[in-house]
Amino acid sequence: MGEFNLSQALKANRSFVDKVIEESGQDIRQCYQCAKCSGGCPGAYAMDYPPSQIMRMLALGMKDKVLKSRTIWVCMGCNTCTTRCIRNIDIARVMDTLRQEAVKAGYTEKGRTVIAFNDAFLGTVKSYGRLFEAGLLIKFNLSTGNLMKDAQFGLPMLLKGKAKPFPHKIKGRSEVKKIFEKTKQMEGN
Amino acid sequence: MARYAFYPGCSLDTTAVEYGMSTHAVARKLGIEFLEVPDWNCCGASSAHMTDHLLALALPARVLALAETLPVNELVAPCAACHQRFAGVEYELSRDEELKKKVNSLLDRPYTGKVKVKSFLEVFANPETLDKIQKSVKRSLKGLKVACYYGCLFVKPPKVFNYADDPENPQAMDNIIRALGAEPVPWPYKTECCGASLAMTDEEICTKLCNDILRVAKDAGADCVVTCCPVCQQNLDMRQVSVENKYGTKYRMPVPFFTQLIGLALGIDAQALGFKKLFVSPVKMLQKVGAA
């Protein structure tokens, strides 16, 4: 990754490191680079930096490189790293925090499809109280521009009774909507 | 009679309709009572916890609070992803009173923690029920070789669960399969990830992971891969055709839910267990146990 001044990076980004530690509740400085997380990570082969390297870069304050990485969007939250971490760091939780920080910092390019998926998913939950798969797929395909994604499964799913053409709306929709709105206010700092 | 609050989750009536059909059919036979949580909402799944931690706690907490209105001590969720979200709420809120207050300020009905989260696999794999299953077998699945695939979120991370099987080599489903007369094959991919929602967002990775799982199951001599998670099941079953196209293979590996196999052994009709809902034909497998 070329030359990099580590002490300057840490000095400039110490508040970011502290924020990740606070938000995730995980003391990433406990990591001693055994790399068990990277060894077991099913997505590591497709990442630009394996999880253990992300942990080190984070401890060194390399904010931009971490938040612009592909790694945080490949992580599928399987929790193998968290399960195996000998230093008791919930690495999967740290990845959640990093995705949220990346969005806040505007580094969304590599997470484009993941963010579109999450928005479409949560959009249906906010409206109806439950996930509406057909609505999710349509909204997701429209936002990614890949209109035919999974279209071949649509008809078989309908015929097998595995997809519903209309959403189920729960009675407590307003309660669910309130949860979405209030959490947004509380986190909107 | 065993009685639990039941959280179907968004998939049990849609993408995993056969999981729901077989669960209820088997429960009736075994005298297990599932009381559906009234007016439940989506747990938020991975989309919520990737987006906002408080949202990821509050959505399942509303469900757990509603479950507290039922005459039960425990809640089960057949979907691994939902199960792990509920267990996570229980784990965090029982250790952080301030956070619990914060989450409760978002809910109409407060969550107290009275109803505990139980693993859906344990509903069947506890010694008493396992014994009952074994004694109720009408059609032994003898000769059927089964790769038990647990996926991630019923066993990982173990710290959040009240009861957790070995996260590296879980046994609950293996014990169930053995009780049915079938043979769980030893294989090393029991808890390897299927790629989950990367099926939507980065399909190539998901296809590769599913190919690894199916290939290793085939090499282990399995007649089917049995699952306990709607997401894993859909990736391995419906998307198996994409895996085969990409890797030039022909697995045709049936991927039923474990409850469908219990139902078969209890003598329930394959149609009532939703075997026709599977994408990869289970006919050969059903013939092998004399159920087709």
Side-chain angles (χ1 to χ4, degrees), chain A residues 71-87:
Chain A
T71 298
I72 58 176
W73 303 107
V74 168
C75 166
M76 49 212 101
C78 76
N79 277 274
T80 302
C81 52
T82 298
T83 299
R84 293 183 185 170
C85 180
I86 201 158
R87 301 298 288 155

Side-chain angles (χ1 to χ4, degrees), chain A residues 96 149-150 171-172 178, chain B residues 18 39 49 108 168 199 239:
Chain A
D96 276 341
K149 162 83 179 142
D150 283 351
K171 290 197 199 89
K178 196 169 76 187
Chain B
E18 63 274 55
D39 204 43
H49 74 71
D108 282 27
E168 305 290 354
R239 297 180 189 280

Side-chain angles (χ1 to χ4, degrees), chain A residues 162-178:
Chain A
K162 290 190 151 210
K164 298 259 177 337
F166 303 106
H168 176 98
K169 297 176 185 170
I170 70 165
K171 290 197 199 89
R173 297 195 289 289
S174 62
E175 287 175 51
V176 171
K177 202 166 202 162
K178 196 169 76 187

Side-chain angles (χ1 to χ4, degrees), chain B:
Chain B
M1 186 197 265
R3 185 159 67 185
Y4 305 99
F6 187 72
Y7 178 76
C10 302
S11 57
L12 232 65
D13 195 30
T14 55
T15 56
V17 65
E18 63 274 55
Y19 201 7
M21 291 167 76
S22 54
T23 292
H24 291 299
V26 164
R28 274 193 295 275
K29 282 261 180 196
L30 295 173
I32 299 167
E33 197 180 350
F34 290 130
L35 301 179
E36 186 166 324
V37 177
D39 204 43
W40 54 270
N41 54 275
C42 169
C43 73
S46 57
S47 288
H49 74 71
M50 283 188 186
T51 306
D52 183 330
H53 189 60
L54 204 52
L55 180 67
L57 291 171
L59 288 173
R62 178 181 179 268
V63 175
L64 288 171
L66 287 168
E68 290 176 8
T69 64
L70 299 170
V72 295
N73 298 318
E74 292 171 312
L75 171 133
V76 293
C79 168
C82 305
H83 172 65
Q84 198 236 23
R85 296 326 304 162
F86 290 125
V89 168
E90 189 171 88
Y91 177 80
E92 278 199 57
L93 300 194
S94 65
R95 280 162 182 77
D96 189 338
E97 207 44 51
E98 277 305 303
L99 187 60
K100 189 170 166 183
K101 270 191 205 145
K102 202 171 170 185
V103 168
N104 273 336
S105 77
L106 302 164
L107 307 177
D108 282 27
R109 168 186 292 280
Y111 161 78
T112 72
K114 194 176 77 173
V115 173
K116 302 292 176 208
V117 180
K118 186 185 177 88
S119 158
F120 186 61
L121 285 169
E122 274 308 299
V123 168
F124 304 95
N126 70 78
E128 204 181 312
T129 311
L130 211 52
D131 188 54
K132 190 166 186 182
I133 291 174
Q134 200 158 8
K135 285 179 179 147
S136 317
V137 169
K138 296 262 176 1
R139 175 166 51 206
S140 169
L141 305 188
K142 200 166 183 305
L144 193 71
K145 293 188 171 183
V146 180
C148 293
Y149 179 65
Y150 295 76
C152 308
L153 300 181
F154 261 119
V155 288
K156 291 176 188 174
K159 70 171 181 187
V160 303
F161 303 118
N162 286 323
Y163 168 86
D165 212 337
D166 179 345
E168 305 290 354
N169 185 16
Q171 297 299 323
M173 229 187 323
D174 292 57
N175 292 338
I176 294 169
I177 293 305
R178 233 175 259 121
L180 309 177
E183 180 193 338
V185 297
W187 72 310
Y189 271 57
K190 281 177 157 182
T191 64
E192 284 295 319
C193 183
C194 72
S197 62
L198 286 187
M200 299 293 292
T201 58
D202 208 331
E203 196 175 348
E204 278 200 19
I205 300 176
C206 180
T207 310
K208 187 240 179 224
L209 297 178
C210 287
N211 181 52
D212 291 346
I213 293 163
L214 292 165
R215 191 190 65 239
V216 175
K218 193 94 180 171
D219 288 349
D223 296 310
C224 62
V225 172
V226 71
T227 55
C228 52
C229 170
V231 181
C232 304
Q233 197 277 342
Q234 187 174 46
N235 282 347
L236 292 170
D237 178 37
M238 184 182 89
R239 297 180 189 280
Q240 197 172 127
V241 63
S242 316
V243 173
E244 291 175 334
N245 289 342
K246 168 129 200 253
Y247 289 91
T249 53
K250 202 98 187 128
Y251 296 119
R252 297 291 88 200
M253 176 72 78
V255 189
F257 288 97
F258 77 100
T259 44
Q260 290 180 287
L261 290 197
I262 299 178
L264 267 192
L266 296 183
I268 302 168
D269 181 58
Q271 180 112 17
L273 295 166
F275 272 93
K276 282 209 167 146
K277 307 287 183 187
L278 299 175
F279 276 79
V280 175
S281 167
V283 167
K284 261 194 196 163
M285 179 200 122
L286 292 174
Q287 280 167 348
K288 202 165 177 176
V289 297

